[in-house]
Amino acid sequence: MTFTNLSTHSFTAHQCLHDVFGYTTFRGEQQAIVEHVVAGGDALVLMPTGGGKSLCYQLPALLRNGVGIVVSPLIALMQDQVDALQQLGVQAAFLNSSLSTHEASAITAQLMRGDLQILYVAPERLLMPSFLSLLEQIEHNIGIALFAIDEAHCVSQWGHDFRPEYRKLTVLHERFPQVPRIALTATADALTRVEIVERLKLEQARQFVSSFDRPNIQYRVTQKANARQQLEAFLEAEHANDAGIIYCLSRRKVEETADWLKSRGWDALPYHAGLDSSIRNANQRRFLREEGVIIVATIAFGMGIDKPNVRFVAHLDLPKSMEGYYQETGRAGRDGLPANAWMTYGLGDVVSMRKMLDSGDASEERKHVERQKLDALLGFCESTTCRHQTILRYFGEQHDGKCDQCDNCLTPVDTWDATQPAQMALSCVYRTGQRFGVVHLTDVLLGKTTPKVEQFRHHQLSTFGIGKAISPQQWSSVFRQLVAAGYLETDMDAFGGLRLSETSRPVLRGETEVWLRRDIEVSNRKVSKVERGARAKESYAELNNDPLWHALKAKRIELAKEQGVPPYVIFHDSTLLEMLNLRPGSLTEMGKISGVGQAKLTRYGDEFLQVLEEIANGVDRSSYF
Ligand code: ADP
C-alpha cells in the first residue's frame, strides 16, 4: 500500500500521522515544526535523542509535492530507516556507497519516474555535480518536497563527528532556494547551534529548541568497590532479559568484561575499533536484530545506533565529559519507556583519566579544555543534588530538581563536615613529600607500620596515626572526593602520587570548609527497592513473567526474521505493550493502538490478533519462544 496522493491538500498532517505512522498525537514541538516546513519554511530542530526528529521531516516530505531528500552521514543506518518507512507503506530508498552500480541506477530510475517519496543520500553522493544536476531535473519535472539535513552538528569542527562535506551543503540553498530545508541535531550546546546556523546559512530558519531532558532515563552513580560484582547485581536485579550497552575505556577491558559476562551466562558481545570489521559488524547486527543482547564497547560504538529498546547503559569507566556522558547514556530508552543509566566510579578512574589527558599529544590549550570538561563530569559524579538538574544546567537549561528519577532524588544523600579530615589528609600529603598514592597515605593516617612506612620513616611524622577514628573506606572516600574537587592533583611524574593544588592552601589554613557526601557502604548492601529503578521500571521487568509478552515478542521476531529486518521495525516495544494492556479484539480496535498505521494493520493485524486470542484461550505457545 502506498500513498502517492498524499500531497493533496485534503490530507492533513493529523490524518497522515494517524494513517501512516499510527500515532494519535504529536509530541512536543513536532506539530509546529511539521506545519512550518509544510508551509515552505526553513527550520533548525534541536531535539534530544528519542525526541522524534525523523517524523519532523518524514511527514512534511509526504505532505508536500515531490520527493523529500534526506542527507545523512550514517550509511549503516539508512537501510533500517528505509526498511521502517517501507513497513509504513512509504516509498523510500537510499543511495550510498554500499550499493552496487546496478542497484544505484535502479534507484535513480525510480527517482526520475517520480516513484519515490523519501530518498536518503550520503553527503558525498549528494554533492557530486552529476547528482546535483539530476536533482535540478527532478525539481523541474517532479518537484523536491524538502531537504532534510540530519545530524547537522557534523558541520562543527569542534565536535567528534566533524564531516567536511557537510560544510558544502550550502549549495542546496544556492541552487534550490525555493525548496525548504530542515536541519536536525541532538547536540545540545549553544556553540554548535551557532555554528550550524552559520555554516549551513540558516539565518532565516526558524529555530525549534526542545528540552534536552530525558525524563525516562534514571541516572545513578555508585562508588566502585568490586565493579564486576556490582555490575552483575545490577543486571540480575533489573535487566535479566534486556538489551543494553556497557562502556569501558580500553579495548582490553572490553574484551575481558565481555568474556567474563559470557562465562557467567550473559549474552554479551565485544565491540571496539581494534576488532576485525567483520566481527564488529556481526556483533552490531546481533545487537540490533536480536532481543536481549548486551554489547560491551568502547565509545567507538554508538553513533548511528537507533535501536529504540536499549534498556540500560552502564559505565564501568568514566566518560571524558558531560557531553560524552549525556550522549552515551542517551542511547538508552529512545522509545520513551523506562531505562537506566548506571555508572560505577572510584578514585582509580579519576587518576587514570587525568593521566590519559595529561599524557596525550594534544596542544596545551586543548588539554586545558579537556581537563575542565572532566572536572565538570567529576562534579556531577560527586554531586548530592538532582542529576537531571545538574545535566540540564550544564547545557544551559533549567530543571526544578525533583526528578524522582536519579539516585540522589530517590535516596537523598547525606553530607558531612569533612573540614578536619580534609586538613589531615592534605597535611599528610604535604609532610610525606607530595609523591605517594592513597594506599600509603591512608596507612600513615591510620598509624600502620608497614615496611614502606618504615623505609621512609613516616612513623616519625606528626600526621602518623592522626586519622585512626576514621575507617579505611571513609579515607578512600575522602581522598576520592578531594581529588575530584581539585583539592589534590595527581602527579604524573611521580607515578600518580598526590600533590597539593592552589585550592588546598585555604583548606589547610582553615579558611575554607569542606563538605563531602557520605558514601553508602557498597560491599554489604543489597540493592534497595528505591534504587531498583522507577516504579514503572519494575512493572516493565515483571513483563518477563508474562506469557503474552513473550508470545507477542516471539511473533515479532518471527516476522522480522522472515523479512530480514530488525524486530523494532515491525513494532516497537511500546506498541506491543499497548496491545498487552488493551487486548484489542478486532482489527478496528487494533488500529487504535499507537504505532499501528494502516499498512501495518493490513499486514500484521490478523496475526497479532491471533496471538492475543490464543493466549486468552490458554493455548501454550511456549514452543515458539
Ligand atoms: P530521534 O531521531 O529524535 O532520536 P526518532 O525519530 O527515532 O527520535 O523517534 C523516537 C521514537 O519515538 C521512535 O520510536 C518513534 O517512532 C517515536 N515517535 C516519534 N513521534 C511520535 C509520536 N508523535 N507519537 C508516538 N511515538 C512517536
Side-chain angles (χ1 to χ4, degrees), residues 14 17-25 55 572 575 593-597:
H14 260 109
L17 179 73
H18 180 266
D19 293 355
V20 181
F21 295 90
Y23 300 141
T24 41
T25 45
L55 206 121
H572 281 180
T575 303
I593 303 276
S594 180
V596 186

Side-chain angles (χ1 to χ4, degrees), residues 17 21 23 26 30 34 52-60:
L17 179 73
F21 295 90
Y23 300 141
F26 283 106
Q30 277 178 338
V34 167
K53 283 184 287 301
S54 334
L55 206 121
C56 298
Y57 59 82
Q58 289 170 348
L59 218 151

Side-chain angles (χ1 to χ4, degrees), residues 26 55 198 303 450:
F26 283 106
L55 206 121
E198 219 176 273
M303 168 88 163
T450 64

Side-chain angles (χ1 to χ4, degrees), residues 73 112 116 137 213 217 248 318 351 395 445 450 470 488 581 594:
M112 294 186 66
L116 285 179
Q137 275 181 52
D213 192 21
I217 298 183
C248 303
L318 276 179
V351 173
F395 294 118
L445 286 162
T450 64
I470 293 176
L488 284 174
N581 289 326
S594 180

